[in-house]
Amino acid sequence: MTQYRNYVAGRWVESERRFPDVNPVDGSLVATVHEADLATVDAAVRGGHAALKGAWGRTTPTERADLLHRIADEIDRRREDFLAAEIADTGKPHAMASTVDIPRGAANFRAFADILKTAPLDSFRTDLPGGAHAINYTVRKPLGVVGIISPWNLPLLLLTWKVAPALACGNAVVVKPSEETPGTATLLAEVMDRVRLPAGAFNLVHGFGPGSAGEFITTHPDVNAITFTGESRTGTAIMKAAAADVKPISFELGGKNAALIFADCNFDQMLDGMMRAVFLNSGQVCLCAERVYVERPLYTRFCEALAARARDLKLGWPMDPGTAMGPLISAAHRDKVLGYFALAREEGAEFLTGGAVPRFGDTRDQGFWVEPTVIAGLPQTARCLKEEIFGPICHVSAFDTESEAIALANDTRYGLAATIWTTNLNRAHRVGPAMRVGLSWINSWFLRDLRTPFGGAGLSGIGREGGLHSLNFYSELTNVCIRVDDG
Ligand code: NAD
Ligand code: 6OD
């Protein structure tokens, strides 16, 4: 059986405690995972500080950028291994893992290598009374050891999105992937070993949150910053833990994202986009649209078309090229999503399609599947329109005016993303910025340029990462001010 071990200060470390890594397609065992105890996490943090004092701390930005490119090249070279591990852990279709997850894992390293090399630093001249002046310039330094805690939905993509800029800025990292998806993080440690990243710069610890590796990282006094992607309520727990040492935090959390569909949209383009925005990765993308608002003249046509396309989605084996949707990540998450299907019924929703567990008549019946689901008829106050479900489901309602649409979209405690469909240029520029979110997509969804700020408002997060925003989070900036007197 495959074993996933911890990688600490350049060495593979085993643990007494182990837990199973399960394939959600059919419930089969993928690997046995070694759960890091407190001593292992402590060794990882000490290894990080030793690296900062040693060879890693002496690297120049150019050397680090070169290393990041080598990491990306090595991910590309081992593409098939990464694909196999990601697919086994998540059950996602090969068509998605091979075009989104694994290529983005490599792209994150290349992007932040290049962003580092071209990043400007502040410089200001200050004129002083009497003719003297001062020159200010900013120096970028690492924060120290950064704790990186990531979720299971886009495992390699979301881990490397933080590891790449953290290493670019010269930090050491202690990384904890989700307990559900330890595979590609372990392969990434092998890549770091292979490119001879100085020992201790990258440390990997496996485990859970409370009482396990996650909590050991966030409460460790020598972890200098925490960056986290996951549920909003986990963010609350981590924020409390980080408060003790006033650690800098960056949080990318949950969403209850809206789609606004105006009657003047390009219908076919919109429908293709909405199928992705609702059902990509079985709805397990923080950016997915669970609340869909449609201008009334288009409401019935849209509901019928979306439900018909959802019924046609092929649920299947990940390696089948025709498969469009895989299972949910775990039995617990499947039960949570089914709980929301039941709640929607109690709240009076009409199911336009889906709402059940599919039956395959083979080993997939031991997996964690639900049907793609479209519901309607709930009031804006329903819990199903307030709480993040994180599954292949959306609710559709009608609106009459642009201002009503904006108000409905912004009526949430979350604030991650919105997707707006219109061919009216003026409307696009009015509605896009009016969304109280970090990411407002017009005639598109999940279209990413890694130089742009990414993050959320309200319960959806704290801070922005991407481009210079990432470099600024993962750096300590020191302003140097020199007085220059007249000769
Ligand atoms: P989660 O919060 O349950 O777990 C995320 C990670 O945190 C895991 O590694 C877990 O082990 C760890 N963890 C849990 N409790 C912890 C604690 N008390 N201390 C330290 N670590 C702890 O989230 P999940 O179920 O893995 O992921 C799904 C959630 O992530 C959804 O809410 C989704 O919206 C969100 N998400 C947000 C973004 C974004 O960019 N905003 C991206 C992806 C996922
Ligand atoms: O594309 C990204 O950089 C990113 N952070 C995506 C997040 C997706 C959420 O599930």
Side-chain angles (χ1 to χ4, degrees):
M1 175 53 58
T2 305
Q3 307 279 314
Y4 288 145
R5 298 177 177 79
N6 305 289
Y7 181 72
V8 173
R11 300 177 59 168
W12 292 98
V13 175
E14 302 207 336
S15 308
E16 296 273 302
R17 283 167 70 117
R18 300 182 187 179
F19 61 91
D21 175 21
V22 172
N23 185 331
V25 171
D26 56 7
S28 60
L29 192 62
V30 174
T32 300
V33 191
H34 292 242
E35 182 182 352
D37 59 10
L38 182 57
T40 305
V41 173
D42 184 53
V45 176
R46 282 188 286 111
H49 282 288
L52 290 166
K53 290 196 190 88
W56 178 241
R58 290 191 291 276
T59 52
T60 62
T62 306
E63 287 167 342
R64 292 199 297 275
D66 289 348
L67 267 167
L68 262 55
H69 275 289
R70 280 167 48 205
I71 293 166
D73 293 345
E74 186 61 14
I75 293 173
D76 285 347
R77 195 184 69 79
R78 295 195 59 189
R79 176 179 181 274
E80 294 306 318
D81 297 338
F82 274 96
L83 270 173
E86 201 78 307
I87 289 168
D89 277 359
T90 60
K92 65 178 70 192
H94 182 275
M96 177 181 176
S98 60
T99 53
V100 178
D101 297 74
I102 307 308
R104 248 303 286 284
N108 283 334
F109 286 100
R110 293 200 176 96
F112 283 104
D114 296 344
I115 289 164
L116 177 72
K117 284 171 95 166
T118 53
L121 283 165
D122 290 336
S123 175
F124 297 101
R125 173 190 162 109
T126 313
D127 291 320
L128 302 171
H133 71 278
I135 297 168
N136 294 274
Y137 66 92
T138 307
V139 180
R140 191 184 289 290
K141 295 179 293 188
L143 290 169
V145 174
V146 177
I148 299 180
I149 300 177
S150 57
W152 45 257
N153 61 328
L154 302 167
L156 184 71
L157 185 160
L158 289 172
L159 194 68
T160 52
W161 162 246
K162 291 174 181 293
V163 169
L167 292 180
C169 293
N171 299 284
V173 297
V174 177
V175 159
K176 194 200 84 62
S178 168
E179 55 274 29
E180 307 286 358
T181 52
T184 47
T186 311
L187 293 183
L188 187 64
E190 292 179 13
V191 165
M192 300 299 179
D193 211 52
R194 166 99 178 183
V195 303
R196 295 180 189 283
L197 194 79
F202 176 92
N203 302 277
L204 165 71
V205 292
H206 290 296
F208 302 82
S212 183
E215 186 181 324
F216 301 153
I217 292 173
T218 59
T219 53
H220 198 296
D222 298 324
V223 169
N224 304 105
I226 306 280
T227 178
F228 166 71
T229 306
E231 274 196 40
S232 302
R233 67 167 173 235
T234 311
T236 304
I238 294 180
M239 202 167 172
K240 282 186 187 153
D245 298 306
V246 201
K247 293 186 206 309
I249 51 172
S250 174
F251 283 175
E252 293 170 6
L253 308 176
K256 188 71 185 177
N257 308 303
L260 297 186
I261 298 169
F262 289 92
D264 60 27
C265 70
N266 173 330
F267 190 85
D268 292 340
Q269 183 192 45
M270 176 276 297
L271 193 60
D272 286 347
M274 286 305 300
M275 284 300 292
R276 287 185 68 241
V278 177
F279 299 115
L280 184 76
N281 209 36
S282 309
Q284 302 168 120
V285 178
C286 58
L287 310 161
C288 278
E290 292 188 359
R291 298 181 296 135
V292 182
Y293 300 102
V294 187
E295 200 169 0
R296 199 169 302 276
L298 210 57
Y299 177 75
T300 304
R301 183 180 171 202
F302 172 78
C303 287
E304 286 171 2
L306 189 76
R309 289 276 296 266
R311 274 190 288 277
D312 278 353
L313 272 182
K314 184 169 173 205
L315 278 55
W317 297 99
M319 301 309 283
D320 180 341
T323 294
M325 202 180 103
L328 298 177
I329 190 68
S330 63
H333 189 54
R334 189 260 327 263
D335 292 348
K336 176 185 157 185
V337 172
L338 289 177
Y340 276 104
F341 289 1
L343 178 66
R345 287 195 176 87
E346 279 167 35
E347 289 186 313
E350 179 190 357
F351 279 68
L352 306 181
T353 190
V357 172
R359 290 291 162 216
F360 298 97
D362 57 35
T363 55
R364 285 173 292 178
D365 290 339
Q366 277 93 62
F368 315 127
W369 299 77
V370 298
E371 290 174 347
T373 298
V374 180
I375 61 174
L378 290 178
Q380 180 72 3
T381 49
R383 271 181 60 200
C384 286
L385 285 180
K386 299 282 173 209
E387 299 170 16
E388 182 186 47
I389 301 173
F390 217 54
I393 177 171
C394 72
H395 177 272
V396 192
S397 16
F399 68 83
D400 292 300
T401 64
E402 185 181 300
S403 56
E404 182 194 2
I406 293 170
L408 286 166
N410 285 340
D411 179 22
T412 172
R413 296 186 68 205
Y414 290 98
L416 189 56
T419 174
I420 299 149
W421 298 86
T422 177
T423 52
N424 179 328
L425 194 58
N426 288 315
R427 169 173 283 150
H429 284 293
R430 280 193 305 268
V431 179
M435 297 291 98
R436 195 185 61 85
V437 294
L439 303 138
S440 198
W441 275 293
I442 294 163
N443 297 328
S444 57
W445 175 80
F446 201 2
L447 185 60
R448 296 281 291 117
D449 181 323
L450 303 186
R451 296 168 296 186
T452 60
F454 185 99
L459 286 185
S460 293
I462 295 178
R464 296 290 182 273
E465 297 196 35
L468 286 178
H469 305 275
S470 294
L471 297 194
N472 287 341
F473 175 72
Y474 294 104
S475 305
E476 200 66 76
L477 296 178
T478 299
N479 184 65
V480 179
C481 176
I482 316 172
R483 181 186 166 107
V484 183
D485 286 310
D486 279 352

